[in-house]
Amino acid sequence: MSRTRLHVQLPRRSADGFMQFMPDGRSLVIALGPDVHIVDSVSGAVVRECRGAHEDSIHYVAVAPDGQQMATASWDKTARLWDMATLDCKAVLHGHERRVFCVVYSPDSCVVATGTVDSIVRLWRAADGTPLCILRSPNLEWVCSVCFTTSGNRLLAGGYDGDRAVGVWQWTLPDLRQAERAGGSPVTLVDRSRSTLQLWPDDLDYPDHLDDTFYENTIHFSPDGRQLSATIQEVHVLHVESGASDAECSLEKKVMIPDRKYWSCHFTPDSRHVACVKTNTIDIRDASSGALLLPLKSKCYKNAIAFSPDGRQLASSDWSGTFLFQALCAWTPANHRL
């Protein structure tokens, strides 16, 4: 196994951080507190940065598939759209009433979806931030992750219901071009398909009161939208079935990893493996069996982990005082092609 490391140190004003590689893999977007930095993934040099991009910490970053734009989701209850070439803010997306947890682009880079703990998913036109659609569900309370299907005509939300069961909610989207032409208020849709599972371990009492920070890192979709990871004390990898109609959406248990020290679980770009994050270790595991393939001695804080598009580089960050310790590790396991 060959391995190289690159250390990048940036000033850190918050314990919250998130990273996302650009589609070409040559640079990395790093969000630290309210700031955004674009870092060269080979040299570690800061290419561009925007201090005070939000009024509060940035929780999530999404880069458009075409690489022309990115979106940031923040605890200041907004999401923002940015031009990648200049880091100029193109639009501020107002409407959510609580912290915005997640953001994602449609496959054609034309639509942005945001989700938060106000139980609502909102769709926006990426070109200028025009609100297009509001997605609701009567029993969806925390939206932790959102994902477009590969065709772009459906949206899935991963989160928790009123009983704190993990679930997937599905909406079939209208022709958003028609919604755009209609003008006025965005279209409102109520889900017609959902599936939930109660994953809290039987030997532990569920806390009576949980704040937003408990839910923020616990659920992630795989890039292909066919799997969901849920870190509820133990790590669960779940199979997501999005059927041919609104009535067909299911969530099934696939594998459980009985280690209660993991912060979160993230999929590799090909959706075949997961990176399970502990305080001092990132474990690369098979997503189908849970088998441990590669333990990496690399400190990581919660959500601060990202894979390059080809799956050959892993970026992780460590909370250490007021500074970010950023390690880029390139590895090629001898017996596993990640």
Side-chain angles (χ1 to χ4, degrees):
M1 176 174 59
S2 63
R3 183 180 300 177
T4 61
R5 288 180 180 268
L6 173 67
H7 296 172
V8 180
Q9 187 167 304
L10 297 170
R12 189 165 195 161
R13 292 196 278 161
S14 168
D16 301 293
F18 194 88
M19 294 178 292
Q20 182 71 49
F21 273 92
M22 292 288 291
D24 61 10
R26 290 182 291 184
S27 55
L28 182 71
V29 180
I30 302 176
L32 297 176
D35 306 329
V36 175
H37 311 267
I38 311 297
V39 174
D40 186 283
S41 63
V42 176
S43 68
V46 177
V47 180
R48 290 180 299 281
E49 62 183 358
C50 179
R51 300 295 182 95
H54 278 267
E55 296 177 8
D56 206 335
S57 294
I58 297 169
H59 183 260
Y60 207 96
V61 175
V63 178
D66 63 10
Q68 300 301 306
Q69 191 184 90
M70 76 171 178
T72 52
S74 171
W75 286 15
D76 66 7
K77 304 177 185 179
T78 73
R80 302 189 183 206
L81 306 180
W82 304 86
D83 182 274
M84 284 305 305
T86 62
L87 275 190
D88 291 335
C89 183
K90 300 181 66 175
V92 180
L93 311 183
H94 294 283
H96 288 294
E97 297 178 358
R98 296 175 69 180
R99 296 170 172 175
V100 185
F101 269 8
C102 49
V103 60
V104 68
Y105 281 87
S106 60
D108 62 4
S109 302
C110 293
V111 178
V112 174
T114 56
T116 186
V117 288
D118 62 8
S119 72
I120 293 174
V121 177
R122 294 177 180 268
L123 303 184
W124 318 79
R125 186 170 63 191
D128 57 9
T130 297
L132 299 176
C133 198
I134 299 173
L135 309 179
R136 299 178 180 273
S137 174
N139 67 341
L140 174 59
E141 294 206 5
W142 291 272
V143 180
C144 300
S145 185
V146 285
C147 176
F148 284 93
T149 57
T150 54
S151 63
N153 66 345
R154 292 188 187 181
L155 187 128
L156 302 174
Y160 295 86
D161 67 7
D163 296 321
R164 294 175 178 146
V166 172
V168 169
W169 286 258
Q170 176 179 268
W171 293 266
T172 296
L173 303 178
D175 185 338
L176 296 176
R177 291 171 299 179
Q178 292 183 1
E180 175 187 332
R181 287 192 298 268
S185 301
V187 176
T188 299
L189 298 178
V190 177
D191 76 297
R192 294 177 58 189
S193 179
R194 68 185 75 99
S195 179
T196 60
L197 292 171
Q198 185 58 257
L199 300 178
W200 191 261
D202 293 337
D203 62 335
L204 290 178
D205 293 331
Y206 207 103
D208 293 331
H209 302 287
L210 296 175
D211 61 16
D212 296 351
T213 58
F214 173 83
Y215 299 101
E216 61 182 350
N217 305 298
T218 56
I219 292 179
H220 299 278
F221 277 105
S222 62
D224 62 10
R226 297 178 180 177
Q227 298 175 90
L228 192 76
S229 69
T231 309
I232 316 296
Q233 293 290 307
E234 299 145 336
V235 172
H236 298 263
V237 179
L238 310 172
H239 174 70
V240 178
E241 181 65 39
S242 178
S245 69
D246 279 352
E248 298 177 2
C249 177
S250 65
L251 191 62
E252 299 176 356
K253 292 182 180 180
K254 187 175 179 180
V255 65
M256 188 269 284
I257 302 169
D259 190 325
R260 295 182 177 178
K261 295 182 180 180
Y262 287 127
W263 289 93
S264 58
C265 178
H266 308 260
F267 287 91
T268 55
D270 63 5
S271 303
R272 294 173 51 203
H273 305 89
V274 291
C276 299
V277 177
K278 293 182 183 179
T279 302
N280 297 309
T281 306
I282 300 173
D283 291 336
I284 308 298
R285 293 179 175 271
D286 186 274
S288 296
S289 66
L292 177 62
L293 304 179
L294 181 67
L296 295 173
K297 292 296 182 181
S298 181
K299 293 184 178 182
C300 186
Y301 186 82
K302 291 187 178 180
N303 243 11
I305 182 173
F307 285 94
S308 61
D310 62 5
R312 296 300 183 96
Q313 278 192 313
L314 174 66
S316 63
S317 72
D318 169 36
W319 169 244
S320 55
T322 59
F323 293 91
L324 170 74
F325 178 80
Q326 175 70 28
L328 298 182
C329 306
W331 32 261
T332 306
N335 300 319
H336 301 279
R337 186 174 182 274
L338 296 182

